[in-house]
Amino acid sequence: MDHNQARQWLATAVEEAKAGLAEGGIPIGAALYGADGTLLGRGHNLRVQDGDPSMHAETSAFRNAGRQRSYKGTTMVTTLSPCWYCSGLVRQFGISRVIVGESETFHGGHDWLAEHGVEIIKLDDPECVRMMKDFIAAKPELWNEDIGE
């Protein structure tokens, strides 16, 4: 996949992360794109807003995409390396590719996904890194809750 296209798709996830932050939540966003490049669903972490620990950004985007006959060829775009829970979702449904905005502040399951045939594109996006570092510095207790520490 072309890195310019990956960055364009990441912009959708970044918009979602900013929306989550504006709502008082955790600034992680995601989007699921179809094999043909169609945006299937987008979402952001809603753990705080909904009081639901399972509403991670990738889960939100996945749910908003609705039922798909197959996830072969789809791409999950996320501002942050996916946690084990979201990595499991990618594997369970056969999502083919994950675009990771950044993995500096949190190194999730992207290596494991790569070992199991999922294409991983890491963008090391400075805006994603800054957004997470600022959030972690401002709300370390909420961040630690989100990552299970």
Side-chain angles (χ1 to χ4, degrees), residues 19-89:
L21 183 61
E23 295 168 358
I26 300 164
I28 303 170
L32 183 65
Y33 282 87
D36 64 355
T38 302
L39 177 61
L40 301 174
R42 59 191 289 167
H44 52 272
N45 187 302
L46 292 165
R47 295 180 74 251
V48 173
Q49 299 91 314
D50 290 357
D52 180 349
S54 71
M55 280 307 292
H56 291 203
E58 297 88 343
T59 307
S60 178
F62 182 76
R63 287 182 179 177
N64 288 332
R67 290 177 57 198
Q68 305 294 316
R69 187 176 187 303
S70 170
Y71 294 90
K72 184 177 181 181
T74 62
T75 301
M76 179 67 75
V77 184
T78 180
T79 58
L80 185 65
S81 179
C83 70
W84 290 110
Y85 169 66
C86 295
S87 294
L89 181 144

Side-chain angles (χ1 to χ4, degrees), residues 72-136:
K72 184 177 181 181
T74 62
T75 301
M76 179 67 75
V77 184
T78 180
T79 58
L80 185 65
S81 179
C83 70
W84 290 110
Y85 169 66
C86 295
S87 294
L89 181 144
V90 168
R91 288 269 294 139
Q92 174 69 31
F93 291 96
I95 293 170
S96 299
R97 178 185 303 121
V98 177
I99 296 171
V100 177
E102 69 103 347
S103 60
E104 181 180 327
T105 59
F106 180 76
H107 191 104
H110 65 266
D111 290 336
W112 176 76
L113 288 170
E115 290 169 8
H116 288 88
V118 177
E119 180 185 357
I120 302 296
I121 299 172
K122 292 188 341 178
L123 297 177
D124 300 319
D125 183 77
E127 183 177 14
C128 291
V129 173
R130 180 191 43 76
M131 190 166 29
M132 285 310 304
K133 283 187 174 183
D134 290 350
F135 177 78
I136 292 166

Side-chain angles (χ1 to χ4, degrees), residues 5-17:
Q5 180 69 62
R7 290 196 178 281
Q8 288 176 354
W9 288 1
L10 179 62
T12 303
V14 169
E15 286 175 15
E16 287 293 329

